[in-house]
Each structure stands twice: as C-alpha cells, then as structure tokens.
RNA sequence: GCCGCUGUAGCUCAGUGGUAGAGCGCACCCUUGGUAAGGGUGAGGUCACGGGUUCAAAUCCCAUCAGCGGCUCCA
C-alpha cells in the first residue's frame, strides 16, 4: 500500500508538472490515508482546487500508459551536478541532506523519504526513479521503492490543498501541499470516501449543531463556546460526577476570579513567557489616563503592553497562581499535607485563529483543575491517587482508546529546575503511576516541562487527529517562585512540591471528545433528554402528562411530544435526536397504567411495562450509570 | 498568523451578470393515526460585511470578518 501511494505521488507530481511547468517538487511521502506532495508553485500560477480535474485526467493517462518505474543510480557528485543543472534547489537540498545524513550515521533514519538510499553497500549513491525510460520520461530523485509500473494504480483521487513550510520552518519558503489517496481497487477508494462521509457526520461540530449542544457566535468571538441548555446538562453531570470522586479523595473546592494582577503572572513566570498566547492586559483607567497625560504614543503603549510594564490585570491563563495564594494564605504543618485544592477553573488563552477548532481548541475553557501541595515523600502516593481517578472516570465513560505519554528530562540538564535526585524520584513515581492504568505508555525524554515530569492522556478525534486531554504534572518551580513553605517535623520551613492535575483537561475538549466517542448517543445519565413521552394521538395527551410528571418527580429529564404528527413521525424525530428511551402511550397503555418502551438503537417496540416499574428502572439505570439498564429487562 | 477552499431562509444546500429558489424546520388548517417522515396553506432572506467595475452584481474584482482543511504553535 505504501508503495502504491508513493508511486501515485510520483504520477501526480508528473501530472502537475505537465499542467504547471514551473512547479518545483519538494517532498512526496505516503501518509496514513494516502500521500501528499509538497510543491513550490510559481507566484503567478498557484494551484487551485479547480485544477484537480485536469490533474486527475493527466494522471489517468499516465496510469493508462502503464509505464514501468525504473531505478538508476548515480554517484553523489554526478547526481548533484545533474540536479544543479535542473535548477531544483529543493531536490539539491534533499540530496545534500541525504548524503550528509548517511555520512554522519547510516542507522539514523532520515526524516524525509527523498534521496536516502536503502542500500548501505553503496553509501554515496543517489537513486533516481524514472516513470518509464530514464532520460526520456519524467523522473524524480527518490529512494524508492516503487510498484513495477503505473498501471498497478487501480484508483486514486486528489483530496485537498494545504500550505506547509519548507523543513517545517515557519520562516522558510511556503510550499503547497497537495493531498491525494490511492488504492489498488476502485471499490476500496469508494469505501474510503464513504468512511470519510461517516466520520464527518460524527464530527462534534456537526453533532453539536444537530443535537444543539453548543454554539459559537461570531458576535461573541472566535473560540468562545456558548453552552446551550442541552450541552450544559452534559457538562454539569460530568462536573458532579468528578466532583463527587474528588470529595471522596479528600479534595477541597475553591472558587477564584477570572482575572489577576499582571504582577502575579510575572511572579509565576506565565508573563512574559506565554505573553503571545494571552489576551492583552486589562489596564486600569487611571494608569491609561496618566500615561496619556504624559504624551505616551501608541507605539510606546504597545511596547509597554508587550513588556508587561503596565498597571493592570490579565485574564487568567492558568489557575495555579490563585490556588497557590490560597495555600499560602496560612501557615501549614507537615501534618496538614497534602492540601488538595480543586476548582473547575476557567482560563483564557489567545490561540492563533487558524488553530481554533469547535470545542476542541478554543480561547476560553474550563479546566477540571486541582493543585496538590505535598511533601517530597508523598509524591508517589498522590500521583497514584490522580491516576486512579483518571482510570475510574475514563472507565465509567467507556473511554478506553487513549494513550499515555510520560514526559521525562531530556539530555540538556541545564534547563530543568530541582535537584537531580528529586527528578529521579518524581520520574520513577510518574512511570509507576502510569503503569497502573493498563493502557499503552510511552516514555518521552525531553517532553518534561522545565519544572517537572508529567503524564499526559492523549486521544484521537474522529478524523484521526490526536489531542491532549488530561495531564498530571509534578512541579518544583512554582513553590520556589512563590517561596512556599510548610513547617516540618524539625520545626524548620521546608519547600512543598506541587502537583497540577486535570483528568479531563478542559470541559470543552472533553465533551467534544465524548460527543465523537458516543456519536452523540450519550449514556442515559449524561443524556440531555433521557425519556421522551409520545402520545399516539392527542386523546392520550393527558395520560402522557401524567407519565411526564411521574418521571420529573423521579428527577428524570423528559418531555412530551404533543405535536400533530403521527406516531411514526414522532418516533423518527426523537430517534434523530438520539434520545435513549421513548415511552409510547396510547389508550391501551393509559387504561392499564403502562408505557410502551422503545430504546435507542433497537428498531422495534420492546413491549409494555408498568409505569411504576419503568420510573424505577430508569432511575436505577441513571444511578448506576448504565450498569443496570431498562432495555436489559426485555431481553 | 500562513496557504487553499467556503459564506444565499433557523438547518442542509441549488442558483455564476438581467425581479431570490428547494427540502427540512416554523405558524395555521385538515387528518386522531399503535412504533423511523399523513395532507394542505402561509410566513420567513440587506444573498457575511465594506468598497469597486458595470446600464445592471448574490454572481466579476479588492479589502474585512467568520467557518473548513492543512502548516506552524500548543502550559
């Protein structure tokens, strides 16, 4: 498959160069679902989506000719001379890098496929692949290998255009990345495209609109999520769920403001280090008036804002400084530790506009945050506690498809604060705690924060993009910066260690992930609407109201559909909203104090149940979070 | 922020220089129907926003705002 897709990238590149003669090739590797080719287009002839048809036509012609992929080798000198002659700076660069990489270390894999020679016996050779006859047909510097001939490419499609940077460097040349995909058989391509359609329907942004879970309004601002009533139910249920567990684990709730003095964030180090990703400071009116009176120019003011030499407040980018100040508001004995302060704390970050994504990447989000202040010898136990909470919460939600990344120190030891012995212990504690989760754990040296090792939970969205959810981080830095202390057994002050932990990460991102995970069909306890009562006709409306009232008394979220629709339409409408249970009521049910039950995902009437029994069964499914289910009583 | 694409009714979308369209939803009427769309009538739009070209712009051009796909970033 990789060969197929890489070969197809060559075919596409040839087709593109026929249509846009000045286009210079850069890299063209296969990727997960296809391949791409980074290409530098002349400024006066950018590639547009409108060109796709023409390119695909050319590609079909090349495939139809069934030309063989032919490899030939040249020495480094010859190859470079040839590429120089062709005036392709990108290919020359690829070749040079390939040669260098090989001379330095042949075992090191080269980041791009181009130009690396898999044959170690001829280390200074560069290989080229011609699509047909070398010298007469189209060719490309390439390590290969390839399919025997173009005719083997059964089905292909150009998918999209994107921009990229040369060597992934923002300041370097901007390239156009053309994505395509290819399969051996047309049916496979059709299946792949159908899967993409399905994924799109599962996207939290699509479902969020359809199920009315959240709204983002231009008039409010980019990346600022408005939680609708339905979405708020889910968030509130999650908060109550996690809050209950936190109380069991000895956490104490706190509430803190959304802003804090700029100076506070200088102490914490968030300013100016993260100044780029923060909203600009909120300045005091007197301060602004004062500098205006002194004749301060806009440029001067902008500079003052950038350097933080203004009097004002920041929308908080993190909750830690506030929690630290609560901890530090009174002295602590070693006997008091650990102190665990928790808050669903809302934070604000100025993410780049192109990075925003539904509820997954936003500018204002609420962290299920907590900060643990503990002794060095308590770190391991506290980490275990955090991880068991994550295990429990994720397990309850059936969210098992995530991976764990443990960020450890990298080789350059200068950038890390805290003693080496403490780091050793903390890293070991993180690894031990992570191991208890029973999911894949990857150790990643160099991924630790400068202030301590961390454990991150990472999930994939419906399109396969990975997102970080929760995180648990050991921190030696902030206690230092804020000069925190507790009184030890020896009656002397000691420095506590902080653990930052947020099992869900942000409520916004977590709910987005859940929407996709459940495909909008939330378990009963999370469902915004749990039961919808459907009278057969308005003759049964009164009984339907009775049923609704009984359910409401049992704290079940419910409504009744008294529209003029026939029962078929009512069922269809409720099914589209993915409501877990439908209680159909007609004269036959009213007369016997029963309801006819239909469960989500089961395309038939399950049968009648006594109303009393149904109310109790629903309540129990909610309370057990699905361990006991109403529909199971019919099987 | 960068490149490409997109923006038309509450939603999904058609319309590509000459009087603004469909389906769903909504309102009203008829239908009172037992498990995934009963029928009719009607309301609803500054065609994202601001400029320009033109006798004439939803349509062409420029800028702005927003969304999408990537890139870069991500405590």
């Amino acid at each position: 498959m990789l060969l197929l897709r890489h070969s197809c990238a060559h075919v596409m590149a040839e087709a593109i160069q026929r249509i846009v003669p000045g286009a210079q090739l850069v890299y063209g590797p296969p990727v997960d679902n296809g391949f791409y080719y980074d290409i530098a287009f002349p400024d006066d002839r950018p590639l547009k989506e409108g060109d796709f048809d023409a390119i695909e036509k050319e590609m079909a012609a090349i495939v139809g000719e069934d030309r063989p992929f032919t490899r030939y080798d040249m020495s480094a000198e010859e190859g470079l001379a040839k590429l120089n002659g062709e005036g392709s700076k990108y290919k020359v660069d690829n070749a040079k890098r390939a040669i260098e990489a090989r001379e330095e270390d042949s075992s090191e894999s080269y980041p791009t496929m181009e130009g690396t020679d898999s044959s170690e016996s001829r280390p200074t050779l560069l290989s080229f692949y011609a699509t047909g006859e070398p010298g007469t047909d189209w060719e490309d510097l390439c390590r290969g290998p390839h399919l025997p001939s173009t005719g083997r490419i059964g089905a292909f499609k150009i998918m999209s255009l994107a921009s990229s940077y040369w060597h992934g460097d923002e300041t370097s040349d901007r390239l156009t990345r053309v994505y395509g995909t290819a399969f051996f058989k047309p049916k496979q391509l059709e299946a792949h495209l159908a899967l993409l359609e399905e994924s799109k329907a599962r996207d939290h942004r699509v479902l969020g609109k359809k199920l009315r879970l959240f709204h983002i309004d231009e008039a409010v601002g980019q990346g600022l999520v408005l939680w609708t009533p339905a979405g708020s139910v889910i968030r509130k249920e999650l908060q109550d769920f996690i809050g209950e567990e936190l109380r069991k684990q000895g956490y104490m709730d706190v509430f803190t403001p959304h802003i804090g003095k700029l100076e506070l964030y200088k102490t914490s180090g968030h300013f100016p280090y993260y100044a780029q990703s923060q909203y600009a400071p909120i300045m005091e009116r007197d301060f602004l008036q004062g500098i205006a009176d002194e004749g301060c120019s806009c440029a001067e003011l902008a500079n003052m804002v950038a350097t933080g030499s203004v009097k004002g407040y920041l929308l908080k980018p993190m909750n830690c400084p506030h929690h630290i100040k609560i901890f530090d508001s009174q002295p602590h004995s070693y006997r008091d530790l650990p102190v665990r302060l928790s808050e669903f704390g809302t934070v604000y970050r100025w993410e780049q506009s192109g990075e925003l994504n539904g509820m997954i990447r936003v500018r204002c989000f609420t962290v299920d945050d907590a900060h643990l202040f503990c002794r060095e010898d308590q770190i391991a136990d506290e980490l275990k506690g955090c991880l068991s909470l994550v295990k429990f919460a994720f397990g309850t939600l059936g969210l098992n498809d995530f991976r764990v990344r443990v960020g450890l120190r990298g080789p350059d030891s200068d950038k890390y604060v805290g003693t080496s012995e403490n780091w050793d212990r903390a890293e070991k504690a993180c690894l031990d705690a992570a191991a208890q989760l029973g999911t894949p754990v990857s150790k990643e040296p160099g991924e630790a924060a400068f202030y301590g090792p961390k454990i991150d939970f990472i999930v994939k969205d419906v399109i396969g993009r990975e997102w970080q959810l929760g995180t648990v981080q050991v921190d030696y830095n902030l206690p230092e910066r804020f000069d925190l202390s507790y009184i030890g057994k020896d009656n002397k002050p000691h420095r506590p260690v902080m653990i930052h932990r947020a099992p869900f990460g942000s409520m916004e991102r977590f709910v987005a992930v859940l929407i996709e995970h459940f495909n909008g069909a939330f378990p009963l306890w999370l469902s915004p609407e749990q039961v919808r009562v459907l009278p057969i006709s308005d003759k049964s409306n009164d009984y339907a109201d009775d049923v609704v009232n009984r359910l409401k008394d049992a704290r079940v979220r419910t409504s009744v559909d008294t529209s003029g629709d026939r029962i078929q339409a009512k069922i269809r409408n409720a099914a589209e909203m993915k409501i877990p249970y439908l209680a159909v009521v007609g004269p036959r049910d009213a007369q016997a104090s029963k309801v006819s039950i239909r469960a989500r995902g089961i395309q038939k009437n399950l049968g009648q149940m006594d109303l009393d029994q149904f109310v109790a069964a629903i309540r129990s499914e909610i309370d057990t979070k699905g361990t006991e289910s109403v529909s199971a009583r019919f099987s």
Side-chain angles (χ1 to χ4, degrees):
Chain A
M1 194 57 107
L2 288 181
L3 295 193
L4 166 78
R5 285 169 172 170
H6 187 190
S7 299
C8 196
H10 275 224
V11 172
M12 183 179 79
E14 177 177 354
I16 289 175
Q17 285 196 316
R18 279 192 197 172
I19 288 164
V20 187
Q24 293 199 36
L25 305 179
V26 188
Y27 316 130
V31 290
D32 269 1
N33 291 314
F35 59 85
Y36 67 80
Y37 217 119
D38 277 348
I39 300 173
F41 286 92
D43 288 344
D44 57 350
R45 180 60 173 92
L47 195 70
K48 308 256 185 182
E49 276 180 19
D51 297 321
F52 285 7
D53 281 352
I55 297 168
E56 287 179 348
K57 230 173 235 171
E58 283 294 328
M59 290 172 70
I62 296 167
V63 169
E65 289 163 15
D66 195 18
R67 303 205 301 253
F69 288 100
T70 317
R71 172 179 173 139
Y72 66 96
D73 295 327
M74 286 179 125
S75 71
E77 298 73 31
E78 278 180 304
L80 282 175
K82 171 179 156 60
L83 291 169
N84 269 315
E86 289 166 3
S88 169
K89 76 168 180 175
Y90 302 105
K91 288 294 172 184
V92 170
D93 175 75
N94 284 347
K96 282 184 181 160
R97 284 156 67 95
I99 294 163
E100 264 171 42
R102 190 159 334 127
E103 281 170 358
E104 272 171 25
D105 182 1
S106 56
S107 67
E108 192 81 21
S109 73
Y110 184 65
T112 70
M113 300 203 54
E114 307 304 321
T116 19
D117 189 340
S118 54
S119 156
E120 297 196 10
S121 58
R122 293 172 296 179
T124 53
L125 289 184
L126 290 174
S127 64
F128 292 82
Y129 274 83
T131 311
E133 281 301 309
T136 52
D137 282 314
W138 187 89
E139 60 181 56
D140 191 11
L141 170 74
C142 179
R143 154 178 87 171
H146 281 280
L147 296 177
S149 69
T150 58
R152 305 295 177 95
I153 300 169
F156 59 85
K157 183 172 168 60
I158 299 178
M159 303 299 290
S160 63
L161 286 179
S163 83
S164 62
Y165 300 103
W166 194 25
H167 302 157
D169 176 359
E170 203 174 354
T171 60
S172 187
D173 292 11
R174 204 172 43 241
L175 308 171
T176 301
R177 179 168 295 182
V178 189
Y179 280 89
T181 191
F183 292 88
F184 288 106
K185 297 196 167 120
K187 276 209 165 149
Q188 295 173 310
L189 176 62
E190 282 169 33
H192 176 69
L193 295 177
L195 190 73
L196 287 182
E197 280 301 308
E198 266 179 52
S199 304
K200 207 177 151 196
R202 205 185 172 105
D203 188 303
H204 80 279
R205 292 164 295 192
V206 174
L207 282 173
K209 192 174 264 182
K210 184 177 156 199
L211 305 180
R212 296 184 207 133
L213 300 173
F214 69 96
H215 174 65
I216 296 175
D217 197 297
E218 214 176 296
V220 175
Q222 271 187 297
L224 301 176
V225 174
L226 305 174
W227 293 77
T228 56
S232 301
V233 166
I234 297 168
R235 169 168 168 173
K236 180 116 192 332
E237 286 291 344
L238 287 170
Q239 288 190 188
D240 290 349
F241 166 56
I242 194 92
E244 185 59 33
E245 292 309 311
L246 291 180
R247 271 187 290 283
K248 285 183 194 162
Q249 282 201 16
Y251 285 75
M252 293 178 284
D253 283 337
V254 295
F255 294 95
T256 63
H258 290 211
I259 62 172
K261 274 192 185 169
L262 201 153
E263 285 303 313
L264 177 69
Y265 299 99
K266 282 188 174 172
T267 306
S268 72
H270 293 124
F271 196 98
Y273 192 62
Y274 296 118
Q276 289 306 310
S277 48
Q278 286 170 13
Y279 279 85
I282 302 165
M283 279 168 279
E284 288 182 13
R285 201 174 285 136
D286 290 350
F287 167 78
L288 275 176
Q289 189 60 56
I291 59 171
D293 292 346
E294 287 166 18
C296 175
S297 73
C298 291
E300 284 164 340
L301 178 60
N303 188 47
M304 289 169 82
V305 166
T307 56
S309 46
V310 295
K311 207 172 164 192
Y313 296 80
L314 280 184
L315 277 166
K316 64 179 174 186
M318 290 196 135
N319 297 307
C320 358
H322 289 75
H323 291 183
I324 286 169
K325 284 298 175 189
I326 291 176
F327 174 83
D328 202 29
S329 63
Q330 53 179 297
H332 293 276
S333 150
Y334 71 97
R335 297 167 190 278
D336 302 336
L337 303 186
V339 169
R340 309 182 184 93
L341 302 180
S342 65
E343 176 181 20
F344 288 91
T346 303
V347 297
Y348 301 82
R349 299 184 193 180
W350 187 262
E351 303 288 356
Q352 296 190 85
S353 61
E355 274 311 326
L356 300 171
N357 180 294
M359 289 214 291
I360 277 196
R361 187 93 180 251
V362 294
R363 284 183 173 163
C364 165
F365 57 93
T366 299
V367 182
D368 59 322
D369 216 349
H371 294 94
L372 316 187
F373 301 85
C374 65
R375 306 190 303 260
E376 185 70 39
D377 63 286
Q378 292 172 321
I379 294 176
D381 278 349
E382 290 307 307
L383 287 177
K384 274 186 197 142
C386 293
L387 273 283
S388 70
L389 178 70
V390 170
K391 188 177 185 177
F392 175 74
F394 282 24
T396 302
L397 292 159
L399 198 64
N400 301 315
D401 191 16
F402 66 99
R403 67 185 183 91
V404 178
R405 182 176 65 194
V406 181
L408 306 170
R409 272 169 303 178
D412 55 337
S413 55
D414 303 353
K415 66 180 250 202
Y416 301 105
V417 302
T419 67
S420 179
E421 301 77 61
N422 284 349
W423 269 83
D424 289 343
R425 273 202 299 277
E427 287 183 344
K428 181 169 186 308
C430 283
L431 287 168
D432 288 350
Q436 78 180 35
L437 280 169
T439 48
V441 175
S442 63
K443 289 188 211 179
E444 294 185 34
E447 284 298 306
F450 70 91
Y451 50 75
K454 60 178 184 174
I455 306 167
D456 292 329
F457 313 109
I458 293 155
V459 293
K460 274 189 187 174
D461 72 8
V462 82
I463 322 181
R465 291 178 293 206
E466 286 200 321
W467 299 94
Q468 183 182 318
L469 282 180
T471 181
V472 178
Q473 305 183 1
V474 179
D475 186 350
Y476 292 103
N477 177 51
L478 285 177
E480 198 74 33
R481 280 179 166 268
F482 282 94
D483 192 25
L484 300 181
S485 67
Y486 64 89
I487 304 300
K489 230 174 196 167
D490 55 6
N491 198 30
K492 286 183 184 149
H494 294 266
R495 191 74 77 205
V497 180
M498 268 177 81
I499 297 173
H500 309 248
R501 42 106 288 173
F504 293 173
S506 89
M507 298 312 290
E508 284 75 6
R509 181 175 291 182
F510 193 71
V511 168
V513 168
L514 286 187
I515 290 169
E516 297 187 358
H517 171 67
F518 290 120
N519 195 12
F522 293 96
L524 187 66
W525 68 280
L526 283 176
S527 288
E529 183 173 354
Q530 294 168 317
V531 178
R532 185 173 292 178
V533 181
L534 309 179
I536 295 286
S537 77
D538 55 15
K539 286 177 185 155
S540 301
N541 280 359
D542 286 348
Y543 179 61
D545 283 340
D546 291 345
V547 174
V548 162
N549 286 332
R550 286 291 306 281
L551 287 164
K552 281 187 176 164
D553 286 346
R555 304 184 328 281
V556 175
R557 294 184 289 269
T558 182
S559 73
V560 58
D561 182 349
T562 53
S563 68
D565 287 335
R566 300 200 316 180
I567 192 65
Q568 287 86 342
K570 290 183 182 181
I571 288 172
R572 183 187 157 86
N573 290 337
E576 298 227 306
M577 292 304 283
K578 307 196 188 233
I579 295 166
Y581 288 104
L582 309 183
V584 176
V585 295
R588 294 207 294 266
D589 305 285
Q591 188 235 349
S593 284
K594 286 175 182 282
V595 287
S596 294
I597 304 303
R598 200 180 157 111
R600 182 178 57 203
I602 302 172
Q603 307 268 332
K604 59 172 191 183
N605 178 9
L606 288 177
Q608 278 188 317
M609 195 182 230
D610 285 336
L611 177 55
D612 291 339
Q613 223 182 357
F614 176 62
V615 173
I618 282 284
R619 194 61 245 163
S620 130
E621 179 171 339
I622 294 169
D623 291 339
T624 61
K625 295 196 166 52
T627 314
E628 291 172 23
S629 86
V630 175
S631 51
R633 300 187 181 219
F634 290 95
S635 55

